[in-house]
Coordinates of all heavy atoms in Angstrom, one line a residue:
A1 N -20.8 -4.5 8.9 CA -20.6 -4.8 7.5 C -19.4 -5.9 7.5 O -18.5 -5.8 8.3 CB -20.2 -3.6 6.7
E2 N -19.5 -6.7 6.4 CA -18.4 -7.7 6.3 C -17.1 -7.0 5.8 O -17.2 -6.1 5.0 CB -18.9 -8.7 5.2 CG -18.1 -10.0 5.3 CD -18.7 -11.0 4.2 OE1 -19.9 -11.3 4.4 OE2 -17.9 -11.4 3.3
T3 N -16.0 -7.5 6.3 CA -14.8 -6.9 6.0 C -14.1 -7.7 4.8 O -14.1 -8.9 4.9 CB -13.8 -7.0 7.2 OG1 -14.5 -6.4 8.3 CG2 -12.6 -6.1 6.9
S4 N -13.6 -7.0 3.8 CA -13.1 -7.7 2.6 C -11.7 -8.3 3.0 O -11.1 -7.9 4.0 CB -12.9 -6.7 1.5 OG -11.8 -5.9 1.8
N5 N -11.3 -9.3 2.2 CA -10.0 -9.9 2.4 C -8.9 -8.9 2.3 O -8.0 -8.9 3.1 CB -9.8 -11.0 1.3 CG -8.9 -12.0 1.7 OD1 -8.7 -12.3 2.8 ND2 -8.3 -12.7 0.7
G6 N -9.0 -7.9 1.3 CA -8.0 -6.9 1.2 C -7.9 -6.1 2.5 O -6.8 -5.8 3.0
A7 N -9.0 -5.7 3.1 CA -9.0 -5.0 4.3 C -8.4 -5.7 5.4 O -7.6 -5.2 6.3 CB -10.5 -4.6 4.7
N8 N -8.7 -7.0 5.5 CA -8.1 -7.9 6.6 C -6.6 -7.9 6.4 O -5.9 -7.9 7.4 CB -8.7 -9.3 6.6 CG -10.1 -9.3 7.2 OD1 -10.3 -8.6 8.3 ND2 -11.0 -10.0 6.6
I9 N -6.2 -8.1 5.2 CA -4.7 -8.2 4.9 C -4.0 -6.9 5.3 O -3.0 -6.9 6.0 CB -4.4 -8.6 3.5 CG1 -5.0 -10.0 3.2 CG2 -2.9 -8.5 3.2 CD1 -5.1 -10.3 1.7
F10 N -4.7 -5.8 5.0 CA -4.1 -4.5 5.3 C -4.1 -4.3 6.8 O -3.0 -3.9 7.4 CB -5.0 -3.4 4.7 CG -4.4 -2.0 4.9 CD1 -3.5 -1.5 4.1 CD2 -4.8 -1.2 6.0 CE1 -2.9 -0.2 4.3 CE2 -4.3 0.0 6.2 CZ -3.3 0.5 5.4
N11 N -5.2 -4.6 7.5 CA -5.2 -4.4 9.0 C -4.1 -5.3 9.7 O -3.5 -4.9 10.7 CB -6.6 -4.8 9.5 CG -7.6 -3.7 9.1 OD1 -7.2 -2.6 8.8 ND2 -8.9 -4.1 9.0
N12 N -3.9 -6.5 9.1 CA -2.9 -7.4 9.8 C -1.5 -7.1 9.4 O -0.6 -7.6 10.2 CB -3.3 -8.8 9.4 CG -4.6 -9.3 10.0 OD1 -4.9 -8.8 11.1 ND2 -5.3 -10.2 9.4
N13 N -1.2 -6.5 8.3 CA 0.2 -6.4 7.8 C 0.7 -4.9 7.6 O 1.9 -4.7 7.5 CB 0.4 -7.1 6.5 CG 0.2 -8.6 6.7 OD1 1.1 -9.3 7.1 ND2 -1.0 -9.1 6.4
C14 N -0.2 -4.0 7.4 CA 0.2 -2.7 7.0 C -0.2 -1.6 8.0 O 0.4 -0.5 8.1 CB -0.5 -2.3 5.7 SG -0.5 -3.7 4.5
A15 N -1.4 -1.8 8.7 CA -1.9 -0.7 9.5 C -1.0 -0.3 10.6 O -1.1 0.8 11.1 CB -3.3 -1.2 10.1
A16 N -0.1 -1.2 11.1 CA 0.9 -0.8 12.1 C 1.6 0.5 11.7 O 1.9 1.3 12.6 CB 1.8 -1.9 12.4
C17 N 2.0 0.6 10.5 CA 2.7 1.8 10.0 C 1.8 2.7 9.2 O 2.1 3.9 9.1 CB 3.9 1.4 9.1 SG 5.1 0.5 10.0
H18 N 0.7 2.2 8.6 CA -0.1 3.0 7.7 C -1.6 3.1 8.2 O -2.5 3.1 7.4 CB -0.2 2.3 6.3 CG 1.2 2.3 5.6 ND1 1.8 3.5 5.2 CD2 2.0 1.3 5.2 CE1 2.9 3.2 4.5 NE2 3.1 1.9 4.6
I19 N -1.8 3.3 9.5 CA -3.1 3.4 10.0 C -3.8 4.6 9.4 O -3.2 5.6 9.2 CB -3.1 3.5 11.6 CG1 -4.5 3.6 12.2 CG2 -2.2 4.7 12.1 CD1 -4.8 2.5 13.1
G20 N -5.0 4.3 9.0 CA -5.9 5.3 8.3 C -5.3 5.8 7.0 O -5.7 6.9 6.5
G21 N -4.4 5.1 6.4 CA -3.8 5.5 5.1 C -2.6 6.5 5.3 O -2.1 7.1 4.4
G22 N -2.2 6.6 6.6 CA -1.0 7.5 6.9 C 0.3 6.8 6.8 O 0.4 5.7 6.2
N23 N 1.3 7.4 7.4 CA 2.6 6.8 7.5 C 3.3 7.3 8.8 O 3.6 8.5 8.9 CB 3.5 7.2 6.3 CG 4.8 6.4 6.2 OD1 5.4 6.1 7.2 ND2 5.2 6.0 5.0
I24 N 3.4 6.4 9.7 CA 4.0 6.8 11.0 C 5.5 7.1 11.0 O 6.0 7.7 11.9 CB 3.6 5.9 12.2 CG1 4.2 4.5 12.0 CG2 2.1 5.7 12.3 CD1 4.3 3.7 13.3
L25 N 6.2 6.6 10.0 CA 7.6 6.7 9.9 C 8.1 7.9 9.1 O 9.0 8.6 9.5 CB 8.2 5.4 9.4 CG 8.1 4.2 10.3 CD1 8.7 3.0 9.6 CD2 8.7 4.4 11.7
I26 N 7.5 8.1 7.9 CA 7.8 9.2 7.0 C 6.5 9.8 6.7 O 5.7 9.4 5.8 CB 8.5 8.7 5.7 CG1 9.8 7.9 6.1 CG2 8.8 9.9 4.8 CD1 10.6 7.5 4.9
S27 N 6.2 10.9 7.5 CA 4.8 11.4 7.5 C 4.3 11.8 6.2 O 3.0 11.8 5.9 CB 4.7 12.5 8.5 OG 5.5 13.6 8.2
Q28 N 5.1 12.3 5.3 CA 4.6 12.8 4.0 C 4.2 11.6 3.0 O 3.4 11.8 2.1 CB 5.5 13.8 3.3 CG 6.8 13.3 2.8 CD 7.9 13.2 3.8 OE1 7.7 13.1 5.0 NE2 9.1 13.3 3.3
K29 N 4.8 10.4 3.2 CA 4.7 9.3 2.3 C 3.5 8.5 2.7 O 3.6 7.3 3.1 CB 5.9 8.5 2.2 CG 7.0 9.3 1.5 CD 8.2 8.4 1.1 CE 9.2 9.2 0.2 NZ 10.3 8.4 -0.2
T30 N 2.3 9.1 2.6 CA 1.1 8.4 3.0 C 0.6 7.5 1.8 O 1.2 7.5 0.8 CB 0.0 9.4 3.4 OG1 -0.4 10.1 2.2 CG2 0.5 10.5 4.4
L31 N -0.6 6.9 2.1 CA -1.2 6.1 1.0 C -2.4 6.9 0.4 O -3.3 6.3 -0.2 CB -1.7 4.8 1.6 CG -0.7 4.0 2.3 CD1 -1.2 2.6 2.8 CD2 0.6 3.8 1.5
K32 N -2.4 8.2 0.6 CA -3.4 9.1 0.0 C -3.1 9.3 -1.5 O -1.9 9.2 -1.9 CB -3.5 10.4 0.7 CG -3.6 10.2 2.3 CD -4.9 10.8 2.8 CE -5.2 10.3 4.2 NZ -4.5 11.0 5.3
K33 N -4.1 9.5 -2.3 CA -3.9 9.6 -3.7 C -2.8 10.7 -4.1 O -1.9 10.4 -5.0 CB -5.2 10.0 -4.3 CG -5.2 10.0 -5.9 CD -6.6 10.3 -6.4 CE -6.7 10.1 -7.9 NZ -8.1 10.3 -8.4
E34 N -2.8 11.8 -3.4 CA -1.9 12.9 -3.8 C -0.4 12.4 -3.5 O 0.5 12.7 -4.3 CB -2.2 14.1 -3.0 CG -3.5 14.8 -3.3 CD -4.8 14.0 -2.8 OE1 -4.6 13.2 -1.9 OE2 -5.8 14.2 -3.4
A35 N -0.2 11.8 -2.3 CA 1.1 11.3 -2.0 C 1.6 10.2 -2.9 O 2.7 10.2 -3.4 CB 1.1 10.9 -0.5
L36 N 0.7 9.3 -3.2 CA 1.0 8.2 -4.1 C 1.5 8.7 -5.5 O 2.4 8.3 -6.1 CB -0.1 7.2 -4.2 CG -0.4 6.4 -2.9 CD1 -1.8 5.7 -3.1 CD2 0.7 5.4 -2.6
S37 N 0.7 9.7 -6.0 CA 1.0 10.3 -7.3 C 2.3 11.0 -7.2 O 3.1 11.0 -8.2 CB -0.1 11.3 -7.6 OG -1.3 10.6 -7.8
K38 N 2.7 11.6 -6.1 CA 3.9 12.3 -6.0 C 5.1 11.5 -5.7 O 6.2 11.7 -6.3 CB 3.7 13.4 -4.9 CG 4.8 14.4 -4.8 CD 4.3 15.5 -3.8 CE 5.5 16.5 -3.6 NZ 5.1 17.5 -2.5
Y39 N 5.0 10.5 -4.9 CA 6.2 9.8 -4.4 C 6.4 8.3 -4.9 O 7.5 7.8 -4.9 CB 6.2 9.7 -2.8 CG 6.1 11.0 -2.1 CD1 5.1 11.4 -1.4 CD2 7.2 11.9 -2.3 CE1 5.1 12.7 -0.7 CE2 7.3 13.1 -1.6 CZ 6.2 13.5 -0.9 OH 6.2 14.7 -0.2
L40 N 5.3 7.7 -5.2 CA 5.4 6.2 -5.6 C 5.7 6.1 -7.1 O 4.9 6.5 -7.9 CB 4.1 5.5 -5.2 CG 4.2 4.0 -5.5 CD1 5.3 3.3 -4.7 CD2 2.9 3.3 -5.1
E41 N 6.8 5.6 -7.4 CA 7.3 5.4 -8.8 C 6.2 4.6 -9.6 O 5.8 3.6 -9.2 CB 8.6 4.7 -8.8 CG 9.3 4.8 -10.1 CD 10.8 4.3 -10.1 OE1 11.3 4.0 -9.1 OE2 11.4 4.4 -11.2
N42 N 5.9 5.1 -10.8 CA 5.0 4.5 -11.7 C 3.5 4.5 -11.3 O 2.7 4.0 -12.0 CB 5.5 3.1 -12.1 CG 6.8 3.1 -12.8 OD1 7.1 4.0 -13.6 ND2 7.6 2.1 -12.5
Y43 N 3.2 5.2 -10.2 CA 1.8 5.2 -9.7 C 0.9 5.8 -10.8 O -0.2 5.4 -11.0 CB 1.7 6.0 -8.4 CG 0.3 5.8 -7.8 CD1 -0.1 4.6 -7.2 CD2 -0.7 6.8 -7.9 CE1 -1.3 4.4 -6.7 CE2 -2.0 6.6 -7.4 CZ -2.3 5.4 -6.8 OH -3.5 5.2 -6.2
N44 N 1.4 6.9 -11.5 CA 0.5 7.6 -12.4 C 0.3 6.8 -13.7 O -0.6 7.1 -14.5 CB 1.0 9.0 -12.7 CG 1.1 9.8 -11.4 OD1 0.1 9.8 -10.6 ND2 2.2 10.4 -11.1
T45 N 1.2 5.8 -14.0 CA 1.0 5.1 -15.2 C 0.3 3.7 -15.0 O -0.4 3.2 -15.8 CB 2.3 4.8 -16.0 OG1 3.3 4.4 -15.1 CG2 2.8 6.1 -16.7
D46 N 0.6 3.1 -13.8 CA 0.1 1.8 -13.5 C -0.1 1.6 -12.0 O 0.8 1.0 -11.4 CB 0.9 0.7 -14.2 CG 0.3 -0.7 -14.2 OD1 -0.8 -0.8 -13.6 OD2 0.8 -1.6 -14.9
S47 N -1.1 2.1 -11.5 CA -1.3 2.3 -10.0 C -1.2 1.0 -9.2 O -0.4 0.9 -8.3 CB -2.6 3.0 -9.7 OG -2.7 4.2 -10.4
I48 N -2.0 0.0 -9.7 CA -2.0 -1.3 -8.9 C -0.6 -1.9 -9.0 O -0.1 -2.4 -8.0 CB -3.1 -2.2 -9.5 CG1 -4.5 -1.5 -9.4 CG2 -3.1 -3.5 -8.7 CD1 -5.3 -1.7 -8.2
Q49 N 0.0 -1.9 -10.2 CA 1.3 -2.6 -10.3 C 2.3 -1.9 -9.5 O 3.2 -2.5 -8.9 CB 1.7 -2.6 -11.8 CG 2.8 -3.5 -12.1 CD 2.6 -4.9 -11.6 OE1 1.5 -5.5 -11.8 NE2 3.5 -5.4 -10.8
A50 N 2.2 -0.5 -9.4 CA 3.2 0.3 -8.6 C 3.1 -0.1 -7.1 O 4.1 -0.3 -6.4 CB 3.0 1.8 -8.8
I51 N 1.9 -0.3 -6.6 CA 1.7 -0.7 -5.2 C 2.2 -2.1 -5.0 O 2.8 -2.4 -4.0 CB 0.2 -0.6 -4.8 CG1 -0.3 0.9 -4.9 CG2 0.0 -1.1 -3.4 CD1 -1.8 1.0 -4.8
I52 N 1.8 -3.0 -6.0 CA 2.3 -4.4 -5.9 C 3.8 -4.4 -5.7 O 4.4 -5.2 -4.9 CB 1.8 -5.2 -7.1 CG1 0.3 -5.5 -7.0 CG2 2.6 -6.6 -7.2 CD1 -0.3 -6.1 -8.2
Y53 N 4.5 -3.7 -6.6 CA 6.0 -3.7 -6.6 C 6.5 -3.3 -5.2 O 7.4 -3.9 -4.7 CB 6.5 -2.8 -7.7 CG 8.0 -2.8 -7.8 CD1 8.6 -3.8 -8.6 CD2 8.8 -1.9 -7.1 CE1 10.0 -3.8 -8.7 CE2 10.2 -1.9 -7.2 CZ 10.8 -2.9 -7.9 OH 12.2 -2.9 -8.1
Q54 N 5.9 -2.2 -4.7 CA 6.4 -1.7 -3.3 C 6.2 -2.7 -2.2 O 7.0 -2.9 -1.4 CB 5.7 -0.4 -3.0 CG 6.0 0.1 -1.6 CD 7.0 1.2 -1.5 OE1 7.4 1.8 -2.5 NE2 7.3 1.6 -0.3
V55 N 5.0 -3.4 -2.3 CA 4.7 -4.4 -1.3 C 5.6 -5.6 -1.4 O 6.1 -6.1 -0.4 CB 3.2 -4.8 -1.3 CG1 2.9 -5.9 -0.4 CG2 2.3 -3.6 -1.0
Q56 N 5.8 -6.0 -2.6 CA 6.7 -7.2 -2.8 C 8.1 -6.9 -2.3 O 8.7 -7.8 -1.7 CB 6.8 -7.5 -4.4 CG 5.5 -8.2 -4.9 CD 5.7 -8.4 -6.4 OE1 6.2 -7.6 -7.1 NE2 5.1 -9.5 -6.9
N57 N 8.6 -5.8 -2.7 CA 10.1 -5.5 -2.5 C 10.4 -4.6 -1.3 O 11.6 -4.5 -0.9 CB 10.6 -4.9 -3.8 CG 10.5 -5.8 -4.9 OD1 11.1 -6.8 -5.0 ND2 9.6 -5.5 -5.8
G58 N 9.4 -3.9 -0.8 CA 9.6 -2.9 0.3 C 10.5 -1.8 -0.2 O 10.8 -1.7 -1.4
K59 N 10.8 -0.9 0.7 CA 11.7 0.3 0.3 C 12.1 0.9 1.6 O 11.3 1.3 2.5 CB 10.9 1.3 -0.5 CG 11.7 2.4 -1.1 CD 10.9 3.4 -1.9 CE 11.8 4.5 -2.4 NZ 11.0 5.5 -3.1
N60 N 13.4 1.1 1.7 CA 14.0 1.7 2.9 C 13.4 1.1 4.2 O 13.6 -0.1 4.4 CB 13.8 3.2 2.9 CG 14.5 3.9 1.7 OD1 15.6 3.5 1.3 ND2 13.8 4.8 1.0
A61 N 12.7 1.8 5.0 CA 12.2 1.3 6.3 C 11.0 0.4 6.2 O 10.6 -0.3 7.1 CB 12.0 2.4 7.2
M62 N 10.5 0.3 4.9 CA 9.3 -0.6 4.7 C 9.8 -2.0 4.4 O 10.6 -2.1 3.4 CB 8.4 0.0 3.7 CG 7.2 -1.0 3.3 SD 6.0 -0.3 2.3 CE 5.3 -1.7 1.6
P63 N 9.4 -3.0 5.1 CA 9.8 -4.4 4.8 C 9.2 -4.9 3.5 O 8.1 -4.5 3.1 CB 9.4 -5.2 6.0 CG 8.2 -4.4 6.6 CD 8.5 -3.0 6.3
A64 N 9.9 -5.9 2.9 CA 9.3 -6.6 1.7 C 8.4 -7.7 2.2 O 8.5 -8.3 3.3 CB 10.5 -7.3 1.0
F65 N 7.3 -7.9 1.4 CA 6.3 -8.9 1.8 C 6.2 -10.1 0.9 O 5.3 -10.9 1.1 CB 4.9 -8.2 1.9 CG 4.8 -7.3 3.1 CD1 5.2 -6.0 3.1 CD2 4.2 -7.8 4.3 CE1 5.0 -5.2 4.2 CE2 4.1 -7.0 5.4 CZ 4.5 -5.7 5.4
K66 N 7.1 -10.2 0.0 CA 7.0 -11.2 -1.0 C 7.2 -12.6 -0.5 O 6.7 -13.6 -1.0 CB 7.9 -11.0 -2.3 CG 9.3 -11.0 -2.0 CD 10.1 -10.9 -3.4 CE 11.5 -10.8 -3.2 NZ 11.9 -9.3 -3.3
S67 N 7.9 -12.7 0.7 CA 8.0 -14.1 1.3 C 7.0 -14.2 2.4 O 7.0 -15.3 3.1 CB 9.4 -14.3 1.8 OG 9.7 -13.2 2.8
K68 N 6.2 -13.2 2.7 CA 5.2 -13.3 3.8 C 3.8 -13.4 3.3 O 3.0 -14.0 4.0 CB 5.4 -12.0 4.7 CG 4.7 -12.1 6.0 CD 4.9 -10.9 6.9 CE 4.1 -11.2 8.2 NZ 3.7 -9.9 8.8
L69 N 3.5 -12.7 2.2 CA 2.1 -12.8 1.7 C 2.2 -13.5 0.3 O 3.2 -13.4 -0.4 CB 1.6 -11.4 1.5 CG 1.4 -10.5 2.7 CD1 1.0 -9.1 2.3 CD2 0.3 -11.2 3.6
S70 N 1.1 -14.2 -0.1 CA 1.1 -14.8 -1.4 C 0.9 -13.8 -2.5 O 0.5 -12.6 -2.2 CB -0.1 -15.8 -1.4 OG -1.3 -15.2 -1.4
A71 N 1.1 -14.1 -3.7 CA 0.8 -13.2 -4.8 C -0.6 -12.8 -4.8 O -0.9 -11.6 -5.1 CB 1.2 -13.9 -6.2
Q72 N -1.5 -13.7 -4.6 CA -2.9 -13.3 -4.5 C -3.2 -12.4 -3.4 O -4.0 -11.4 -3.6 CB -3.8 -14.6 -4.3 CG -5.3 -14.4 -4.2 CD -5.9 -13.9 -5.5 OE1 -5.4 -14.1 -6.6 NE2 -6.9 -13.1 -5.3
E73 N -2.6 -12.6 -2.2 CA -2.8 -11.6 -1.1 C -2.3 -10.2 -1.4 O -2.9 -9.2 -1.0 CB -2.2 -12.2 0.2 CG -2.9 -13.4 0.8 CD -2.2 -14.1 1.8 OE1 -0.9 -14.2 1.8 OE2 -2.8 -14.6 2.8
I74 N -1.1 -10.2 -2.1 CA -0.5 -8.9 -2.4 C -1.4 -8.2 -3.4 O -1.7 -7.0 -3.3 CB 0.9 -9.1 -3.0 CG1 1.8 -9.5 -1.8 CG2 1.5 -7.8 -3.6 CD1 3.3 -9.9 -2.2
L75 N -2.0 -8.9 -4.4 CA -2.9 -8.3 -5.3 C -4.1 -7.8 -4.6 O -4.6 -6.6 -4.9 CB -3.3 -9.4 -6.4 CG -4.3 -9.0 -7.4 CD1 -3.8 -7.9 -8.3 CD2 -4.7 -10.2 -8.3
E76 N -4.6 -8.5 -3.6 CA -5.8 -8.1 -2.9 C -5.6 -6.9 -2.1 O -6.4 -5.9 -2.0 CB -6.4 -9.2 -2.1 CG -7.1 -10.2 -3.0 CD -7.6 -11.5 -2.2 OE1 -7.4 -11.6 -1.0 OE2 -8.1 -12.3 -2.9
V77 N -4.4 -6.8 -1.4 CA -4.1 -5.6 -0.6 C -3.8 -4.4 -1.4 O -4.2 -3.3 -1.1 CB -3.0 -6.0 0.5 CG1 -1.6 -5.9 -0.1 CG2 -3.2 -5.0 1.7
A78 N -3.2 -4.6 -2.6 CA -2.9 -3.5 -3.5 C -4.2 -2.9 -4.0 O -4.4 -1.7 -4.1 CB -2.0 -4.0 -4.6
G79 N -5.2 -3.8 -4.4 CA -6.5 -3.3 -4.8 C -7.2 -2.5 -3.8 O -7.8 -1.5 -4.0
Y80 N -7.1 -3.0 -2.5 CA -7.7 -2.3 -1.4 C -7.1 -1.0 -1.2 O -7.8 0.0 -1.0 CB -7.6 -3.2 -0.1 CG -8.0 -2.5 1.1 CD1 -9.4 -2.4 1.4 CD2 -7.1 -2.0 2.0 CE1 -9.8 -1.8 2.6 CE2 -7.5 -1.3 3.2 CZ -8.9 -1.2 3.5 OH -9.3 -0.6 4.6
V81 N -5.8 -0.9 -1.2 CA -5.1 0.4 -1.0 C -5.5 1.4 -2.2 O -5.8 2.6 -1.9 CB -3.6 0.3 -1.0 CG1 -2.8 1.6 -1.1 CG2 -3.2 -0.5 0.3
F82 N -5.5 0.9 -3.4 CA -5.9 1.7 -4.5 C -7.4 2.3 -4.3 O -7.6 3.5 -4.5 CB -5.8 1.0 -5.8 CG -6.3 1.8 -7.0 CD1 -5.5 2.8 -7.5 CD2 -7.5 1.5 -7.6 CE1 -6.0 3.6 -8.6 CE2 -8.0 2.2 -8.7 CZ -7.2 3.3 -9.2
Q83 N -8.3 1.4 -4.0 CA -9.7 1.8 -3.8 C -9.8 2.8 -2.7 O -10.5 3.8 -2.8 CB -10.5 0.5 -3.5 CG -12.0 0.7 -3.4 CD -12.7 -0.5 -2.9 OE1 -12.1 -1.5 -2.4 NE2 -14.0 -0.5 -3.1
K84 N -9.1 2.6 -1.6 CA -9.2 3.5 -0.4 C -8.6 4.9 -0.8 O -9.1 5.9 -0.4 CB -8.5 3.0 0.8 CG -9.1 1.7 1.4 CD -10.5 2.0 2.0 CE -10.4 2.6 3.4 NZ -11.8 2.8 4.0
A85 N -7.5 4.9 -1.6 CA -6.9 6.1 -2.1 C -7.9 6.9 -2.9 O -8.0 8.1 -2.8 CB -5.6 5.8 -2.8
E86 N -8.5 6.2 -3.8 CA -9.5 6.8 -4.7 C -10.7 7.4 -3.9 O -11.2 8.4 -4.2 CB -10.0 5.8 -5.8 CG -9.0 5.4 -6.8 CD -8.6 6.6 -7.7 OE1 -9.5 7.3 -8.2 OE2 -7.4 6.9 -7.8
Q87 N -11.0 6.7 -2.8 CA -12.2 7.2 -2.0 C -11.7 8.2 -0.9 O -12.6 8.7 -0.2 CB -12.8 6.0 -1.2 CG -13.4 4.9 -2.1 CD -13.8 3.7 -1.4 OE1 -13.4 3.4 -0.2 NE2 -14.5 2.8 -2.0
G88 N -10.4 8.5 -0.8 CA -10.0 9.5 0.2 C -9.8 8.9 1.6 O -9.8 9.7 2.5
W89 N -9.7 7.6 1.8 CA -9.6 6.9 3.0 C -10.7 7.4 4.0 O -11.7 7.8 3.7 CB -8.2 7.1 3.7 CG -7.1 6.4 2.9 CD1 -6.4 6.8 1.8 CD2 -6.7 5.0 3.2 NE1 -5.6 5.8 1.4 CE2 -5.7 4.7 2.2 CE3 -7.0 4.0 4.1 CZ2 -5.0 3.5 2.1 CZ3 -6.3 2.8 4.1 CH2 -5.4 2.6 3.1
Ligands
HEM1 C1 5.6 3.4 1.8 C2 2.1 0.2 1.1 C3 3.5 -2.1 5.2 C4 6.5 1.5 6.2 C5 4.5 2.8 1.3 C6 3.9 3.1 0.0 C7 2.9 2.1 -0.2 C8 2.9 1.3 1.0 C9 2.0 2.0 -1.4 C10 4.3 4.3 -0.9 C11 3.7 5.5 -0.3 C12 4.2 6.8 -0.8 O1 5.3 6.8 -1.4 O2 3.5 7.8 -0.6 C13 2.2 -0.7 2.2 C14 1.3 -1.9 2.3 C15 1.8 -2.6 3.4 C16 2.8 -1.8 4.0 C17 0.2 -2.3 1.4 C18 1.3 -3.9 3.9 C19 1.3 -5.0 3.0 C20 4.4 -1.3 5.8 C21 4.9 -1.5 7.2 C22 5.8 -0.5 7.4 C23 5.8 0.4 6.3 C24 4.5 -2.7 8.1 C25 6.6 -0.2 8.7 C26 7.3 -1.2 9.3 C27 6.6 2.3 5.0 C28 7.6 3.4 4.8 C29 7.3 3.9 3.5 C30 6.2 3.2 3.0 C31 8.6 3.8 5.8 C32 8.1 5.0 2.8 C33 9.2 4.3 2.0 C34 10.2 5.3 1.4 O3 9.9 5.8 0.3 O4 11.3 5.5 2.0 N1 3.9 1.7 1.8 N2 3.0 -0.7 3.2 N3 4.9 -0.1 5.3 N4 5.8 2.2 3.9 FE1 4.4 0.8 3.6

């Protein structure tokens, strides 16, 4: 099957720490729906925007991507993460 742009961006920039929607550094802070709802600020009110904010700015051990990825790429990877979270990875 063809791989989406969001999936490619994720595999190239995020999977090193978030393989399979997990988190190799802080094990509870995964990209699963339950963890995002619990730990990611504003996820429950504006999910995509909350992911975009975290990717742009980073947090603690997670690097910021705003100088590495374009706004369009960040939007695409955020949409991919949201869709995978909804699907249960
Ligand atoms: C947390 C997405 C790259 C390390 C998160 C969260 C999201 C996210 C949505 C919040 C998860 C939660 O609170 O349950 C992404 C995306 C990436 C990316 C889309 C690629 C563009 C990385 C990389 C690393 C990393 C490369 C490791 C070098 C972390 C860590 C946290 C985190 C340590 C927890 C931050 C904290 O609350 O202290 N990531 N991430 N992430 N990510 Fe990433």
Side-chain angles (χ1 to χ4, degrees):
E2 197 176 302
T3 310
S4 73
N5 205 26
N8 281 320
I9 296 162
F10 186 86
N11 291 334
N12 290 332
N13 295 278
C14 321
C17 295
H18 294 294
I19 182 118
N23 190 324
I24 64 161
L25 294 177
I26 303 185
S27 61
Q28 70 272 27
K29 291 192 171 180
T30 71
L31 309 185
K32 309 241 164 83
K33 188 175 184 176
E34 296 71 21
L36 293 169
S37 296
K38 190 169 173 186
Y39 300 116
L40 184 59
E41 194 169 357
N42 297 323
Y43 189 76
N44 298 313
T45 47
D46 196 346
S47 303
I48 303 271
Q49 196 50 52
I51 299 168
I52 288 173
Y53 184 86
Q54 172 104 6
V55 173
Q56 285 176 328
N57 299 292
K59 187 179 176 186
N60 300 319
M62 174 168 156
F65 285 87
K66 60 172 176 265
S67 59
K68 195 176 174 208
L69 297 175
S70 69
Q72 179 64 31
E73 288 170 326
I74 291 175
L75 179 62
E76 285 174 0
V77 79
Y80 174 78
V81 168
F82 177 72
Q83 184 187 15
K84 294 294 278 184
E86 288 296 310
Q87 293 169 351
W89 289 87

